[in-house]
Amino acid sequence: MFRGMPGGQPIIILSKNTKRESGHHVQIGNITATKTIADVIRTSLGPRAMLKMLMDPMGGIVMTNDGNAILREITVKHPAAKSMIEISRTQDEETGDGTTSVIVLAGEVMAAAEPFLEQKMHPTIIIQAYRMALEDMIVWAKEKYSIPIDAKNEKEIETVVRSCLGTKMLGKWMDLAVHIAMSAVRTIAIEKDGYKEIDIKRYCRIEKIPGGTIEDCKVIKGVVLNKDVTHPKMRRRIEKPRIILLDCPLEYKKGESQTSLEIMKEEDITKVLEQEEEAIRKQCDEIILLKPDLIFTEKGVSDLAQHYLHRAGITAIRRCKKTDNNRLARVTGATIVNDTCDLREEDVGTQADLFEITKIGD
């Protein structure tokens, strides 16, 4: 906090809890913190790795040997330790593998600097030497250790995936895991005008279902939603459906703030209810006009709307997640519409082969 003196000179007042450290003491502290983080996950590296048992805030238990998953659960306040955890997160986002190795390596690199700091060598000189070593490593990696891979060769890609999964708990089901990983990526890969896109984050979804065995796992080339139809008599299986995706509720709009109605005689109540009914009927008529078989909406569907849609032979599914709706748009070729009055023929998705509701597992 700054406070001016009568002579115009500012004085700095530090609060009682402020503690400022600098110099050699801090450097050694940083190295110790990074070595501690590396030691936490050192034992979970390699094919004979031990699993860590973690407890999440909800009381659930997770067993994993994935470096990033372990470090995500660790709460640290030390800035150097936080940076180490960031390294693991970056590695996971950029490469998807080697999260544990990168932390162990960073810990060793920091530990190697300690004797030079003890000799009063300046950190910039040490970093300069590390940069020279990095240049040599890149050359070696390119010339000595790297193997070129043909992306179209199934066997070569399979070997790479196998080496990534070899350190996980999937040894017994390795062939299944490799097959699932490869077919999942192949399902969502898109090539347009020489540009290849593989967006695992948005278009791959892992659905965990209790009951059954690991052998029951499979890749479903489509969108899986944990939902049922809104009306029990609606169709649960439709081949080649025409699909409409909505981002609006199919129910009467309630007043945003306080709404008051002044009713003078009995018939006025009927008029109000008729207005509500008319608004829903108008929405349903705008949908029915395009003759869809199936509609998905991110909001609610009222009982009256369900009745109109069921009468027209349309199946409705409500309260979908935004992410699921985006996946549906990609799979079906439909456009997500914000209001039923904006619906056009080109917004209807016709690329889906089958819509079916089945029960899986428990």
Side-chain angles (χ1 to χ4, degrees):
M1 186 175 81
F2 287 96
R3 188 182 294 166
M5 280 178 70
Q9 285 287 321
I11 24 174
I12 298 170
I13 302 168
L14 293 171
S15 67
K16 286 178 186 173
N17 301 329
T18 306
K19 190 180 176 187
R20 193 169 185 279
E21 293 178 343
S22 62
H24 182 71
H25 174 64
V26 176
Q27 289 164 358
I28 299 302
N30 286 348
I31 290 170
T32 311
T34 51
K35 274 160 68 179
T36 308
I37 291 287
D39 288 338
V40 167
I41 62 168
R42 194 184 297 276
T43 51
S44 63
L45 177 68
R48 288 168 176 254
M50 294 196 291
L51 299 175
K52 301 283 180 205
M53 191 184 275
L54 308 168
M55 201 166 182
D56 63 19
M58 303 295 288
I61 290 174
V62 182
M63 286 178 71
T64 179
N65 64 355
D66 175 45
N68 187 40
I70 296 164
L71 293 175
R72 256 201 321 252
E73 302 298 326
I74 294 175
T75 310
V76 289
K77 288 188 177 175
H78 197 287
K82 274 183 182 170
S83 297
M84 285 287 276
I85 291 169
E86 283 300 318
I87 293 172
S88 171
R89 195 169 296 156
T90 308
Q91 179 76 7
D92 188 52
E93 282 175 12
E94 292 295 323
T95 314
D97 190 35
T99 49
T100 310
S101 317
V102 80
I103 294 292
V104 173
L105 192 62
E108 289 303 314
V109 166
M110 290 292 279
E114 198 168 356
F116 298 112
L117 289 170
E118 296 289 354
Q119 291 166 24
K120 302 279 188 290
M121 197 179 277
H122 199 276
T124 52
I125 296 168
I126 300 170
I127 290 164
Q128 218 169 344
Y130 275 146
R131 288 199 193 284
M132 288 161 68
L134 175 63
E135 284 168 19
D136 288 345
M137 281 161 67
I138 291 168
V139 172
W140 282 8
K142 281 181 181 172
E143 292 173 5
K144 278 191 178 181
Y145 305 118
S146 62
I147 305 163
I149 277 179
D150 178 16
K152 291 182 176 70
N153 188 329
E154 293 283 311
K155 284 273 176 276
E156 287 185 10
I157 297 286
E158 207 171 291
T159 311
V160 175
V161 177
R162 203 173 280 271
S163 70
C164 293
L165 297 174
T167 56
K168 305 291 179 270
M169 299 187 299
L170 293 161
K172 192 177 166 188
W173 304 280
M174 184 59 77
D175 291 335
L176 175 73
V178 169
H179 169 71
I180 283 179
M182 287 175 67
S183 57
V185 170
R186 233 182 261 117
T187 303
I188 59 156
I190 278 184
E191 200 159 344
K192 260 186 188 173
D193 311 323
Y195 166 72
K196 199 165 191 176
E197 181 201 70
I198 301 172
D199 194 339
I200 298 173
K201 276 220 165 84
R202 279 192 301 172
Y203 298 117
C204 245
R205 173 174 173 168
I206 299 167
E207 190 75 55
K208 297 172 189 172
I209 300 167
T213 60
I214 287 190
E215 284 87 350
D216 294 341
C217 295
K218 61 181 173 190
V219 175
I220 292 176
K221 293 187 179 184
V223 183
V224 179
L225 307 174
N226 193 356
K227 293 271 172 203
D228 200 354
V229 290
T230 50
H231 191 286
K233 286 184 179 172
M234 283 176 177
R235 288 183 289 169
R236 280 186 161 79
R237 183 188 163 93
I238 307 167
E239 287 184 18
K240 297 272 182 205
R242 284 169 59 82
I243 296 172
I244 283 179
L245 303 178
L246 297 172
D247 185 15
C248 61
L250 296 180
E251 46 197 1
Y252 187 70
K253 278 195 183 119
K254 296 167 185 72
E256 298 239 339
S257 51
Q258 209 169 356
T259 311
S260 59
L261 290 171
E262 200 169 302
I263 290 166
M264 306 303 287
K265 52 186 184 289
E266 213 174 301
E267 298 86 69
D268 290 352
I269 294 182
T270 319
K271 272 186 190 169
V272 171
L273 294 171
E274 274 173 10
Q275 264 185 340
E276 287 188 17
E277 200 175 311
E278 191 53 48
I280 294 167
R281 189 185 286 127
K282 182 175 172 289
Q283 278 187 315
C284 291
D285 286 344
E286 285 162 352
I287 291 168
I288 293 162
L289 204 63
L290 292 171
K291 299 189 176 65
D293 300 303
L294 186 57
I295 65 159
F296 291 89
T297 177
E298 291 173 37
K299 308 289 195 301
V301 178
S302 69
D303 293 348
L304 192 60
Q306 286 173 36
H307 168 69
Y308 288 135
L309 294 171
H310 170 240
R311 246 182 18 191
I314 298 169
T315 298
I317 286 178
R318 62 182 166 189
R319 298 200 182 96
C320 291
K321 289 181 188 162
K322 184 79 191 164
T323 49
D324 286 338
N325 223 7
N326 288 337
R327 285 194 194 98
L328 285 164
R330 176 151 162 163
V331 168
T332 61
T335 311
I336 300 171
V337 179
N338 296 317
D339 198 335
T340 51
C341 64
D342 297 334
L343 279 168
R344 304 282 177 274
E345 178 58 41
E346 55 268 26
D347 298 330
V348 180
T350 52
Q351 292 171 17
D353 284 329
L354 178 68
F355 160 77
E356 188 175 28
I357 292 181
T358 52
K359 188 174 184 293
I360 308 171
D362 291 349

